[in-house]
């Protein structure tokens, strides 16, 4: 099904994990994709995979902590595709694991810089482009189940994701009348490099995560990608300011 036929979609953190799955799925749905990531080789790999399958993609290296790089990445997307129909602000880091009293301030600052300020920064310039063109657009921010409930040993991560939900709701209200929809997805634990890092830091953590989940498993990147693609598409035309949980029901407990 060509849910995103011809739409130009900008996706950060698209070299791996959920962002990569979202890019592949968006391209399969007919989108032209800007694959943005701090890791240029990973971005190239995702773009090459899309092209090999007959889709359209460009790889753009950028660090979401750097305003000039974010602005240049959006400008390059618009130069290539003529407009920006959708954006997925997904780049993120796990941070380290420590109780709040032991968390290094440098960890706090790094996690917030990527996960929260990075989303704000991308959204700011995406909105400017979407307002300058006919037809508005749709933005999906990747928050987390940890944006809805506390996650012990991850105060910076949880704070950053609560913040992403605040950004999403506020901007959704601000731009609703300009034809721009802004939503968030809240994945539970999903099998990507990020949870591998957590398992390394705290061996056995993932077994506990599995047992605590009503579905007794972790999610797959494709399962989050499907929600992202739907939120980007016109099928979600009256969905705005929403946080869509994709977590097997873990936050329903
Ligand atoms: N995996 C999970 O369990 C889970 C759960 C909830 C939310 N999330 C969120 O999903 C998003 C994607 O995570 P993932 O699990 O796919 O992890 P991942 O580590 O597989 O992918 C993250 C990507 O972001 C990129 N990135 C990191 N810092 C960057 C920066 N400063 N600028 C640009 N790109 C940068 C990385 O290079 C990587 O390609 C993150 O926001 C994460 O917090 C993940």
């Amino acid at each position: 099904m060509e849910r995103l036929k011809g739409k130009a979609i900008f996706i950060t953190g698209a070299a791996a994990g959920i962002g990569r799955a979202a890019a592949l799925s968006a391209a399969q749905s007919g989108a032209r994709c800007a694959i943005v990531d701090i890791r240029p080789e990973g971005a190239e790999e995702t773009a090459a995979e899309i092209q090999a399958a007959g889709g359209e993609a460009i790889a753009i290296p950028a660090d979401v902590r750097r305003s000039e790089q974010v602005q240049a990445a959006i400008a390059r997307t618009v130069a290539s595709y003529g407009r920006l129909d959708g954006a997925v602000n997904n780049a993120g880091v796990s941070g380290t694991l420590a109780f709040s009293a032991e968390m290094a301030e440098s960890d706090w600052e790094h996690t917030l810089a990527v996960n929260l300020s990075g989303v704000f920064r991308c959204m700011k310039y995406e909105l400017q482009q979407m307002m300058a063109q006919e037809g508005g657009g749709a933005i999906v921010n990747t928050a987390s189940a940890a944006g809805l409930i506390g996650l012990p040993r991850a105060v910076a991560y949880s704070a950053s994701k609560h913040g992403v939900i605040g950004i999403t709701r506020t901007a959704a209200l601000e731009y609703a009348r300009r034809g721009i929809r802004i939503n968030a997805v809240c994945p539970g634990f999903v099998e990507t490099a990020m949870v591998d890092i957590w398992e390394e830091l705290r061996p056995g953590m993932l077994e506990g995560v599995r047992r605590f989940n009503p579905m007794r498993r972790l999610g797959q990147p494709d399962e989050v990608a499907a929600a992202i693609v739907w939120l980007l598409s016109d099928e979600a035309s009256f969905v705005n300011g929403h946080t869509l949980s994709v977590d097997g029901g873990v936050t329903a407990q």
Side-chain angles (χ1 to χ4, degrees):
M1 190 189 295
E2 300 240 304
R3 280 201 170 95
L4 301 179
K5 195 171 171 51
K7 289 189 192 280
I9 310 284
F10 178 92
I11 306 165
T12 70
I18 292 168
R20 181 172 174 280
L24 294 172
S25 179
Q28 269 168 14
S29 305
R32 301 173 291 165
C33 296
I35 308 298
V36 182
D37 203 283
I38 196 170
R39 292 192 301 111
E41 344 61 68
E44 290 290 352
E45 275 170 32
T46 304
E49 192 172 338
I50 289 172
Q51 289 156 1
E56 260 191 79
I58 46 169
I60 309 178
D63 181 343
V64 298
R65 292 170 300 175
R66 303 283 298 274
S67 186
E68 73 285 2
Q69 293 186 21
V70 167
Q71 291 180 63
I74 292 170
R76 214 184 126 198
T77 305
V78 175
S80 300
Y81 298 141
R83 54 184 286 113
L84 184 66
D85 297 293
V88 185
N89 299 317
N90 165 83
V93 291
S94 59
T96 56
L97 291 177
F99 282 136
S100 300
E102 279 80 46
M103 175 146 302
E105 290 185 36
S106 55
D107 278 347
W108 167 272
E109 273 148 22
H110 177 65
T111 303
L112 272 285
V114 180
N115 294 7
L116 183 58
S117 303
V119 169
F120 163 71
R121 189 170 295 115
C122 290
M123 211 179 61
K124 171 180 165 81
Y125 296 106
E126 290 155 3
L127 286 166
Q128 290 182 5
Q129 170 58 34
M130 287 174 179
M131 282 189 297
Q133 65 192 22
E134 289 293 311
I139 295 175
V140 179
N141 296 323
T142 305
S144 170
L148 297 166
I149 57 174
L151 183 62
R153 295 186 171 81
V155 68
Y157 186 81
S158 182
S160 72
K161 296 302 185 177
H162 276 75
V164 168
I165 292 173
I167 286 176
T168 302
R169 289 181 174 149
T170 299
L173 298 178
E174 290 173 342
Y175 294 95
R177 275 173 289 171
R178 310 294 293 265
I180 304 171
R181 294 182 301 105
I182 303 153
N183 293 289
V185 285
C186 289
F189 283 88
V190 174
E191 283 184 26
T192 69
M194 184 171 284
V195 298
D196 294 342
I197 294 173
W198 275 336
E199 179 68 12
E200 244 170 65
L201 292 169
R202 201 152 179 258
M205 179 176 175
L206 292 187
E207 195 36 50
V209 165
R210 267 186 205 100
R211 274 205 310 272
F212 186 59
N213 193 290
M215 296 180 79
R216 300 288 185 267
R217 67 174 178 88
L218 274 64
Q220 293 300 318
D222 281 352
E223 294 177 302
V224 184
I228 291 172
V229 166
W230 178 73
L231 286 170
L232 288 171
S233 78
D234 294 340
E235 287 173 33
S237 53
F238 202 47
V239 181
N240 189 33
H242 184 59
T243 55
L244 178 53
S245 288
V246 186
D247 66 2
V250 79
T251 51
Q253 298 180 105

